[in-house]
DNA sequence: GTCTATACACCGATAGAC
DNA sequence: GTCTATCGGTGTATAGAC
């Protein structure tokens, strides 16, 4: 393992465990058992190191889920994968990392592009799945799949932060979303007559 | 305006504009045109000052919306209020403040209780509205209103962060959620026959 | 309550030997 | 590439005069 890689994974670990506060070249170098000056030799600035670490972490976890998403055949299956993903990522801390980077990115232009790229990577993967699953159902032409996928990603980030300060509340919120998802799954499975009625009502209501 | 109040609103402003990074007793005192040492005289620690500022800011903005929520009579009206709230709070920066505090709270126990309280204040207000609006509809006994309200709050936080790094994406996500909300609004307005069918399907699907 | 002054730790970043 | 040493700046927090 090269020094560069040691620094990258130490950065990711630090973000997962200690968040953005307390993140410094010194603490990361210590975590990686590496000299502090090497941070700047390899990455130039702290911000660029965090950027690189985020990219790496996101690419890896998106790739991990690509196959799982590919097997999903319905909205309820997607929901189940989402729940599994959430449980797993709580352990790995990847969502927590994303949340920290997004929060830090609000004031840091370089980080903002990294955060936007990360969200794009996740949401494109989810959009592919959503579009495939909804193809031919009543919801296909009612919903903007890209926006829907982005909303799912954003909600995950928010849920992760919420769970961090109120675990019970976070769990309740997730359960409620799951029920809501099941509801949509039923709409998705409605027959042609019912879905025509639904579409008519939706258009009448203004969208 | 007392020194204490000047410090509180300067803290809130700093969180809204510059986020958690760059937050310090010095910068806040400068913003409030107050001596730096007074931060510690009035609040003891930085963390406690941030806590107090968060409480104040949240209490004020929840109170501001209480009347609006009280007038809501349907899910689609709630959705409209939510959209208006979102647009307004983007300007005031209150949601951004919440997001920053939640991110910082992941590693700070004192801040975590403040963040949890803030979320509670918002979600209880929303829950009251949701419960009232859904009373007597098909969805009333299908959904846990408390969890639903918490999910809405969490999603708002996530959307705010997302919008900060990708404004177009954030807008698309919000639009998609609005469409989804309209869909639910229609489910809400289904006749007794259709809703009985829905309930049966939902129970069969495992919830 | 408010001020100055200051202690002490840590920060990002760089220079220069090896 | 890696190390030591260090610069200048900023952080929280406190002591003590007014």
């Amino acid at each position: 393992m090269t020094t560069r890689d040691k620094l990258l994974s130490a950065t990711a670990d630090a973000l997962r465990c200690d968040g953005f506060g307390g993140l410094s070249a010194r603490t990361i170098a210590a975590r990686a058992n590496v000299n502090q000056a090497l941070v700047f030799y390899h990455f130039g600035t702290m911000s660029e190191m965090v950027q690189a670490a985020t990219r790496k972490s996101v690419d890896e976890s998106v790739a991990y889920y690509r196959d799982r998403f590919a097997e999903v055949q319905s909205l309820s299956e997607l929901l189940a994968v989402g729940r599994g993903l959430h449980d797993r990522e709580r352990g790995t801390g990847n969502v927590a990392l994303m949340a920290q980077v997004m929060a830090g990115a609000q004031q840091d232009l370089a980080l903002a592009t990294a955060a936007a790229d990360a969200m794009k990577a996740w949401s494109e993967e989810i959009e592919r799945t959503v579009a495939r699953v909804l193809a031919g159902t009543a919801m296909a032409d009612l919903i903007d799949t890209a926006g829907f996928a982005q909303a799912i990603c954003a909600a995950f980030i928010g849920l992760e932060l919420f769970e961090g300060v109120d675990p019970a509340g976070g769990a309740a919120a997730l359960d409620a979303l799951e029920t809501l998802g099941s509801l949509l799954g039923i709409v998705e499975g409605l027959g042609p007559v019912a879905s025509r009625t639904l579409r008519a009502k939706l258009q009448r209501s203004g969208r």
Side-chain angles (χ1 to χ4, degrees), chain A:
Chain A
M1 206 177 186
T2 66
T3 296
R4 206 189 132 87
D5 285 335
K6 275 195 261 184
L7 279 170
L8 282 180
S9 61
T11 304
D13 286 349
L15 277 173
R16 284 187 261 256
C17 303
D18 304 330
F20 223 84
L23 199 73
S24 78
R26 285 169 150 88
T27 58
I28 291 172
R31 197 188 273 265
N33 281 316
V34 148
N35 189 285
Q36 175 258 331
L38 293 175
V39 166
F40 304 97
Y41 173 79
H42 284 286
F43 297 97
T45 65
M46 277 294 289
S47 179
E48 284 169 83
M49 183 166 71
V50 172
Q51 216 175 318
T54 305
R55 262 186 238 284
K56 193 182 166 218
S57 162
V58 170
D59 286 348
E60 284 171 4
S61 53
V62 169
Y64 179 88
Y65 278 101
R66 187 158 289 147
D67 299 345
R68 260 153 261 254
F69 281 131
E71 289 171 9
V72 167
Q73 296 293 347
S74 70
L75 208 55
S76 56
E77 276 179 44
L78 177 59
L79 225 56
V81 171
R83 184 75 187 226
L85 187 150
H86 178 263
D87 291 343
R88 179 174 182 272
E89 295 304 293
R90 263 211 80 67
T92 61
N94 284 321
V95 184
L97 183 150
M98 282 279 297
Q100 289 296 323
V101 171
M102 299 259 295
Q106 305 291 317
Q107 258 62 240
D108 182 322
L109 203 74
L111 264 185
T113 59
D117 289 349
M119 284 296 275
K120 201 176 165 205
W122 273 112
S123 66
E124 282 183 352
E125 200 62 36
I126 292 174
E127 187 196 350
R128 258 192 289 281
T129 310
V130 169
R132 180 166 47 77
V133 161
L134 292 188
T137 73
M139 286 169 66
D141 48 347
L142 293 178
I143 285 189
D144 168 35
T145 49
F148 186 44
Q150 286 166 315
I152 291 175
C153 291
F156 257 69
I157 300 288
L159 274 174
E160 171 72 23
L161 287 175
F162 184 31
E163 228 171 5
V165 301
D166 181 357
L174 199 61
D175 283 343
L177 283 185
E178 221 160 39
T179 309
L180 226 60
S182 307
L183 249 165
L184 283 180
I186 287 167
V187 174
E188 176 198 12
L190 287 177
V193 181
S195 50
R196 216 174 310 130
T197 315
L198 206 62
R199 195 169 315 149
K201 286 207 184 197
L202 197 58
Q203 269 154 9
R204 212 180 314 145
S205 82
R207 278 201 69 85

